[in-house]
Amino acid sequence: MLEMVKSGGWLMVPLLLASVLALAIILERAWTLRSRRVAPPDLLADVWTQLQAGELKGEALRNLQAGSPLGALLAAGLVNARHGREMTKEAIENAATPVVHELERYLSLLGTIALISPLLGLLGTVVGIIDAFLVVTAGGIGDPTALAGGISKALVTTASGIAVAIPAMIMHRYYLRHIQTLTVSMEQQAVKLVDMLHGDREVDVREVDA
């Protein structure tokens, strides 16, 4: 493996850095975007129970806001509930913007890595072919080893660029779709809360998080 990396030349350095960065982002987002962390399934029922008991004030409300992205939306709705249905919905929508932005953190960088890695590999291909032609120009094809060095550089960098780009692109698309699913789920929970606060929904705690 080390010999393969060396044969790819200096362009393997940015490709290796890109692969390490992509892996770090993929693992970090896998941990951060867990469904139970972003939108705990029992959170709305717990919030409603605490609200009915008069316990959702002050510190409890701040804990709700900081506890999860869904909690931040529900807290925004609760804080503005006394201003009417439309103001409650508007407050939730305003709170959703930074929440979704945080969920999408690092994904632009992951997408960029997926796009530039094949280009770095292509650049390595060009550089390798140029090296091979320089060998031929300088001494003909009498030294196959020297000629093979340029060809090896071209092939290794191309393969490395594609190998970095494929998982980065797959995970980038997956996380974008996953965030859309989480966003829809949080919106549904927030709408339920608005309906319950303003008397548009009959409340059954057993079905609150259904």
Side-chain angles (χ1 to χ4, degrees):
M1 179 63 71
L2 181 59
E3 291 301 320
M4 182 181 295
V5 172
K6 288 181 178 179
S7 67
W10 64 269
L11 277 168
M12 289 299 294
V13 175
L15 283 171
L16 286 173
L17 291 175
S19 66
V20 171
L21 186 57
L23 180 60
I25 293 173
I26 290 170
L27 294 177
E28 189 276 338
R29 288 292 90 184
W31 177 259
T32 302
L33 296 178
R34 289 170 295 145
S35 297
R36 295 187 65 86
R37 176 193 173 277
V38 175
D42 299 326
L43 183 60
L44 182 56
D46 292 341
V47 166
W48 185 252
T49 300
Q50 292 180 59
L51 188 63
Q52 293 298 97
E55 300 172 352
L56 203 57
K57 299 177 182 179
E59 187 66 24
L61 195 58
R62 287 190 290 271
N63 290 338
L64 172 65
Q65 183 178 30
S68 66
L70 175 58
L73 300 189
L74 299 182
L78 291 170
V79 169
N80 293 274
R82 65 182 183 276
H83 299 301
R85 180 184 178 88
E86 292 304 317
M87 184 62 71
T88 304
K89 290 179 63 177
E90 183 177 343
I92 292 174
E93 291 170 358
N94 291 338
T97 300
V99 166
V100 174
H101 179 74
E102 182 63 23
L103 294 179
E104 294 176 346
R105 189 178 184 186
Y106 303 131
L107 290 189
S108 293
L109 179 56
L110 184 61
T112 300
I113 291 173
L115 289 174
I116 68 172
S117 294
L119 296 180
L120 288 172
L122 179 60
L123 179 58
T125 302
V126 174
V127 171
I129 293 175
I130 290 173
D131 288 347
F133 274 112
L134 289 176
V135 169
V136 172
T137 302
I141 57 174
D143 186 1
T145 303
L147 183 61
I151 297 175
S152 175
K153 181 184 296 184
L155 295 176
V156 168
T157 53
T158 301
S160 299
I162 295 173
V164 173
I166 289 175
M169 180 61 74
I170 290 173
M171 296 309 298
H172 178 259
R173 295 293 179 87
Y174 167 76
Y175 284 139
L176 287 179
R177 178 61 180 173
H178 184 54
I179 289 171
Q180 289 178 350
T181 301
L182 291 174
T183 301
V184 170
S185 176
M186 290 190 292
E187 288 177 350
Q188 290 174 342
Q189 297 295 309
V191 168
K192 285 183 180 180
L193 177 66
V194 172
D195 289 345
M196 291 187 297
L197 289 172
H198 296 282
D200 298 325
R201 180 188 292 266
E202 293 296 328
V203 180
D204 184 342
V205 174
R206 294 171 299 177
E207 300 178 356
V208 160
D209 54 343

